[in-house]
Amino acid sequence: MLKSVLSCCLLLLGGVASVMAQPTPPIVVETQHTSLVLAVGPDQKLYHTYLGARLTNAADYAALPHQHEAYVPAGTDNLFEPAIRLTHTDGNPSLSLAFASVETIQVKGNVDSPANDNKETVIRLRDPQYPVDVVLHFAAYYQEDVIKTWTEIRHRERKPVVLTNYASAMLHFNAHQYWLTQFHGDWAKEAGQQESQLTSGVKVIDTKLGTRPHWYQTPAFFLGLDQAATETTGQVLAGTLAWTGNFRLAFEVDNLNALRVSAGINPYASEYTLPANQTFTTPEFIFTYSTQGKGQASRNLHRWARRFGVLDGTEPRLTLLNNWEATFFDFNEPKLDGLIADAGKLGVDLFLLDDGWFGNNPPRNDDRTSLGDWQPAKTKLPHGVGHLVQTADKNGVKFGIWIEPEMVNPQSDLYRQHPEWVLKLPNRPEHYYRNQLVLDLTNPKVQDFVFNVVDEQLRQNVAYVKWDCNRMITNGYSQYLKQNQSHLYIDYVRGLYKVLDRVRQKYPHVPMMLCSGGGARSDYGGLKYFTEFWPSDNTDAVERVFIQWGFSNFFPSNTLCSHVTNWNRQHTLKFRTDVAMMGKLGYDIEVEKMTPAELQFSQQAVKDYKRLSPVIWQGDQYRLRSPYEGNQAAVLYVEERQTKAVLFGYNLHTRTNETVLPVRLQGLDPARRYRVAEINLMPGTKSELPAHTQTYSGDYLMQVGITVSPLNAPALTSHVLELTAE
């Protein structure tokens, strides 16, 4: 491991020496196009001096003014939002941080490049009077233009200190105006997009839900500097927190119109008592800076995610057929055998058995019983899960299964045997949501139980797991934590990660879907263990255009599970299929009830999707026409070599004789010529698009554009165009 010590101050009697031999040069964290610059001031504090486009002359970084302390502690002279606050053993509620040292180390190189140009900068800060260290980490992913930052806190005081703030990151900006784009929602309307100008004071986006933390708010944002950014123009920072728990994003505009952004775990009800010589490590905050609008910021994050942020992000994904909307809880072994055969007929890779397959005292026939009793229901599956695995193998598909291992119903053997494993307040009535309670994952015995639930399924050659979580934490109290109840929200997530670490050590590449009644778990803290996530239970195709649009700002298409269902039968099968093909395609539909034409269309759609999935999953995404700005939407995926592209166009609620302007494409090679062909046509129909079978230069397609809807096309219609370089 290459290590380069850039600078180190003298330590004297546990304090920081007041005089350094020579000034410390600026600390520059660089990617291909971005620089984050920090500097040590004459007072030995660390200052954030710059975040923006990489400067041509590195010597200019030394001239940047020292305006903003980089990681601001509470209790001394700070007047605004602190990054960290703690109380020492002697009761002193203040912290002062002076620069101690910095080093740069190499980190894992790019997946597709032997060159190792990614570097991690490690900066150690120390309190001059107390033995407290704060270590800031900045990992720069050079080619992706992404920086990942996190913080470590440790001390050597005689007794534990108490942490009450512990941000993963604090960033500072000076601009005339600041525009915040946030994403919010509820069940079935996740990732709705809102934009507003930040004014003086503090704007906070946070959650206190514990196990379903992203139910109402998404831990990701765009920040436009000086003006609101568009898809293609403007300075913009895109940031997201990798934490499957309570989060807090704070944006404070001060009296001088400077902005400080802090991101990290929500300290609500979470004072953390840290013993001596132990390390408190914050989750990672991931961000990218773009001078070319939101679209480029998204593509930066997508490339980083596929290579570093998501499990097997550059590997193929499985198409699947799920049984939920076909059967709900009402199924038996023969019915499932038939559905598995339908999966083979459809041409997908996997059959996924959803909720309702387990429990015997009583069996799981609705959502009121049996969570926690993960034995196959004998009345439904007399030959167990192994029989279904064998049936899938005979039909040329894999078999996957749904679990919700963090939860328990009061009507279950597990609850009767281990009431001490459940999160619930003493001397209060139990509070239920979806008729269930949350297991205490701070308890190592519960962690063992949850791991064994997963292990039992995977040992039977189950090839895919849908991991659900349908309840937030209320009435939260852990019998295991005893006097440290304020550790619950943090240690629960750490307990979950411990289980997932064990799962991945034993089963490193089994694909798993991260689900939480929809997109209530959507973060890179969880996705390093999962191959994909379920954005929403709402599979209405029009709603999904908006939901998938929102999540696509921060997550690549191969992570967004997108299923063809009968949620809204007013939408044609083609429209529903075209929308689902923008993400990771799946089906939750009764294949046996399809007409011959619908089955033929769907079989061909699966074949075309598999053929084009490398472009959709690994290509650059361009959001060309926003559903928020009109009645159409258009999204383009371009393969890295620019030889293939796929364009999706949708008419949503267009009116009679509404003008549909050509769509200007992006990301193509202007010198190449591209043949355009419409695919995903119903049997017996022909394309009505003028561009079909025509050839255009990339320059023409980007400067002039093409029409993706015929004149007077009705609402709720769609078109998929394949572009091939000649």
Side-chain angles (χ1 to χ4, degrees):
M1 179 175 65
L2 175 65
K3 181 180 289 187
S4 169
V5 177
L6 302 180
S7 168
C8 182
C9 70
L10 299 174
L11 301 180
L12 186 64
L13 298 177
V16 179
S18 59
V19 179
M20 300 183 68
Q22 294 187 5
T24 303
I27 302 167
V28 182
V29 180
E30 282 188 323
T31 66
Q32 189 172 8
H33 299 106
T34 302
S35 294
L36 169 66
V37 184
L38 304 114
V40 180
D43 57 1
Q44 299 308 306
K45 292 182 179 181
L46 182 72
Y47 290 87
H48 174 160
T49 61
Y50 182 76
L51 173 56
R54 183 171 176 172
L55 301 185
T56 302
N57 186 353
D60 291 341
Y61 293 132
L64 293 167
H66 299 176
Q67 291 180 292
H68 308 294
E69 189 172 356
Y71 194 78
V72 183
T76 53
D77 58 355
N78 171 56
L79 301 179
F80 299 100
E81 284 279 307
I84 182 171
R85 181 175 181 269
L86 64 78
T87 302
H88 297 280
T89 298
D90 63 3
N92 190 327
S94 68
L95 185 67
S96 180
L97 295 176
F99 174 79
S101 66
V102 61
E103 61 179 349
T104 302
I105 59 178
Q106 285 185 332
V107 296
K108 182 180 178 182
N110 289 347
V111 170
D112 58 356
S113 170
N116 191 344
D117 45 16
N118 301 326
K119 292 181 172 58
E120 180 183 334
T121 301
V122 184
I123 304 172
R124 181 186 298 274
L125 308 175
R126 178 168 293 175
D127 191 306
Q129 302 299 327
Y130 289 86
V132 176
D133 293 327
V134 174
V135 184
L136 308 181
H137 296 259
F138 300 90
Y141 295 85
Y142 187 84
Q143 293 184 9
E144 295 76 18
D145 279 321
V146 166
I147 297 173
K148 182 174 70 176
T149 180
W150 68 99
T151 302
E152 293 179 323
I153 305 165
R154 49 182 173 258
H155 72 95
R156 297 171 304 284
E157 298 193 19
R158 293 181 296 105
K159 295 180 180 179
V161 303
V162 178
L163 302 174
T164 49
N165 286 80
Y166 27 77
S168 297
M170 177 168 278
L171 302 176
H172 301 266
F173 301 92
N174 288 295
H176 296 293
Q177 295 178 331
Y178 309 98
W179 291 85
L180 178 68
T181 305
Q182 65 186 91
F183 300 83
H184 73 104
D186 199 344
W187 179 82
K189 52 182 179 180
E190 293 85 350
Q193 184 171 310
Q194 285 184 330
E195 187 166 50
S196 59
Q197 184 177 356
L198 292 174
T199 57
S200 61
V202 184
K203 164 78 173 184
V204 173
I205 302 171
D206 71 348
T207 182
K208 306 174 181 67
L209 301 176
T211 49
R212 299 186 69 190
H214 315 146
W215 188 2
Y216 301 139
Q217 303 290 343
T218 302
F221 65 90
F222 286 124
L223 177 67
L225 303 175
D226 286 325
Q227 61 185 12
T230 70
E231 281 291 318
T232 57
T233 63
Q235 301 179 68
V236 62
L237 181 94
T240 184
L241 187 70
W243 179 246
T244 320
N246 290 349
F247 69 88
R248 184 176 188 268
L249 307 173
F251 306 84
E252 182 171 29
V253 179
D254 68 15
N255 56 310
L256 300 177
N257 202 49
L259 171 69
R260 71 173 61 175
V261 178
S262 60
I265 297 172
N266 192 342
Y268 164 78
S270 296
E271 291 187 352
Y272 207 89
T273 303
L274 182 66
N277 300 311
Q278 293 187 18
T279 301
F280 184 97
T281 303
T282 71
E284 299 157 346
F285 177 67
I286 301 148
F287 67 91
T288 184
Y289 171 84
S290 164
T291 59
Q292 301 174 52
K294 298 174 182 177
Q296 186 59 55
S298 293
R299 289 186 288 279
N300 292 347
L301 289 173
H302 294 171
R303 284 194 295 271
W304 173 85
R306 290 191 295 261
R307 296 170 180 175
F308 303 101
V310 179
L311 182 69
D312 294 337
T314 59
E315 297 300 317
R317 297 297 194 247
L318 298 173
T319 56
L320 61 84
L321 173 66
N322 194 2
N323 72 299
W324 179 245
E325 288 198 19
T327 66
F328 296 100
F329 292 101
D330 183 18
F331 58 80
N332 55 28
E333 193 173 272
K335 183 179 287 189
L336 293 179
D337 285 344
L339 292 174
I340 293 171
D342 287 341
K345 183 189 302 182
L346 185 60
V348 296
D349 303 309
L350 177 133
F351 175 80
L352 172 62
L353 175 59
D354 215 291
D355 194 358
W357 59 269
F358 52 90
N360 288 292
N361 187 27
R364 174 84 163 175
N365 291 320
D366 52 45
D367 65 7
R368 294 191 292 271
T369 71
S370 308
L371 275 179
D373 300 344
W374 298 102
Q375 301 78 37
K378 295 177 181 178
T379 56
K380 295 182 178 182
L381 305 179
H383 299 99
V385 170
H387 167 83
L388 300 177
V389 173
Q390 293 175 359
T391 301
D393 185 61
K394 292 175 183 177
N395 285 277
V397 297
K398 300 177 183 295
F399 178 80
I401 205 163
W402 177 96
I403 56 174
E404 194 177 4
E406 301 164 65
M407 303 291 160
V408 63
N409 288 123
Q411 292 188 52
S412 67
D413 289 338
L414 179 66
Y415 182 89
R416 289 184 284 268
Q417 293 167 5
H418 291 289
E420 77 281 6
W421 284 6
V422 178
L423 294 178
K424 56 179 181 177
L425 284 167
N427 304 317
R428 302 287 184 195
E430 292 182 348
H431 175 256
Y432 304 127
Y433 183 83
R434 202 174 180 255
N435 305 300
Q436 61 196 56
L437 296 163
V438 183
L439 293 176
D440 183 5
L441 271 179
T442 71
N443 187 333
K445 292 182 179 179
V446 178
Q447 294 169 23
D448 290 341
F449 169 80
V450 173
F451 170 78
N452 289 331
V453 169
V454 185
D455 186 42
E456 173 63 24
Q457 302 310 314
L458 296 182
R459 284 192 289 111
Q460 300 181 77
N461 294 319
V462 168
Y464 183 95
V465 171
K466 178 181 177 182
W467 184 308
D468 213 340
C469 172
N470 284 300
R471 196 208 196 284
M472 63 290 186
I473 293 177
T474 58
N475 288 26
Y477 181 90
S478 164
Q479 293 189 48
Y480 174 78
L481 288 176
K482 298 182 174 63
Q483 301 304 314
N484 288 323
Q485 294 302 316
S486 63
H487 290 199
L488 173 60
Y489 288 116
I490 295 174
D491 286 356
Y492 184 96
V493 179
R494 290 177 173 174
L496 173 63
Y497 289 167
K498 287 179 181 178
V499 173
L500 293 169
D501 280 327
R502 291 173 65 184
V503 170
R504 285 311 178 194
Q505 287 171 9
K506 189 170 182 179
Y507 306 100
H509 299 294
V510 173
M512 296 202 306
M513 179 198 298
L514 179 61
C515 182
S516 187
R521 280 180 169 176
S522 51
D523 67 276
Y524 285 115
L527 280 173
K528 68 181 178 181
Y529 303 104
F530 291 82
T531 50
E532 56 223 56
F533 73 98
W534 184 235
S536 178
D537 284 346
N538 187 345
T539 53
D540 176 290
V542 171
E543 296 297 329
R544 269 299 183 121
V545 169
F546 288 88
I547 292 168
Q548 292 170 197
W549 182 279
F551 281 119
S552 76
N553 285 284
F554 302 94
F555 301 101
S557 59
N558 64 346
T559 66
L560 303 180
C561 295
S562 308
H563 292 182
V564 182
T565 79
N566 286 324
W567 181 289
N568 190 335
R569 294 177 182 270
Q570 293 180 343
H571 301 162
T572 65
L573 178 63
K574 171 179 168 51
F575 186 78
R576 287 175 273 152
T577 302
D578 290 352
V579 171
M581 284 180 68
M582 283 197 300
K584 205 227 73 173
L585 178 65
Y587 288 81
D588 196 337
I589 201 167
E590 295 174 275
V591 176
E592 65 178 7
K593 293 185 179 180
M594 287 182 174
T595 67
E598 289 175 334
L599 179 59
Q600 180 183 344
F601 166 80
S602 298
Q603 290 170 330
Q604 185 61 46
V606 171
K607 291 177 182 177
D608 284 339
Y609 181 78
K610 290 183 177 182
R611 179 173 58 83
L612 295 172
S613 59
V615 183
I616 298 170
W617 293 343
Q618 303 296 328
D620 283 333
Q621 183 197 63
Y622 296 87
R623 295 182 294 269
L624 303 177
R625 184 161 288 170
S626 171
Y628 285 93
E629 297 172 0
N631 288 323
Q632 293 92 32
V635 178
L636 175 72
Y637 299 91
V638 181
E639 186 253 358
E640 184 177 8
R641 296 175 299 167
Q642 299 172 303
T643 60
K644 181 75 74 173
V646 185
L647 173 62
F648 296 88
Y650 306 97
N651 288 335
L652 302 179
H653 297 293
T654 49
R655 302 182 65 185
T656 302
N657 294 325
E658 181 173 350
T659 301
V660 180
L661 296 175
V663 174
R664 295 175 182 174
L665 309 190
Q666 299 174 33
L668 302 177
D669 183 342
R672 280 182 163 140
R673 295 191 65 80
Y674 293 87
R675 179 172 48 84
V676 179
E678 183 174 4
I679 62 172
N680 265 28
L681 294 168
M682 291 297 293
T685 62
K686 296 181 179 180
S687 175
E688 298 178 347
L689 298 181
H692 178 60
T693 71
Q694 300 299 310
T695 300
Y696 306 88
S697 70
D699 184 55
Y700 179 94
L701 291 169
M702 292 189 290
Q703 299 297 334
V704 179
I706 55 175
T707 302
V708 295
S709 296
L711 185 65
N712 294 329
L716 304 180
T717 56
S718 55
H719 302 271
V720 181
L721 300 179
E722 178 181 354
L723 285 71
T724 306
E726 294 185 337

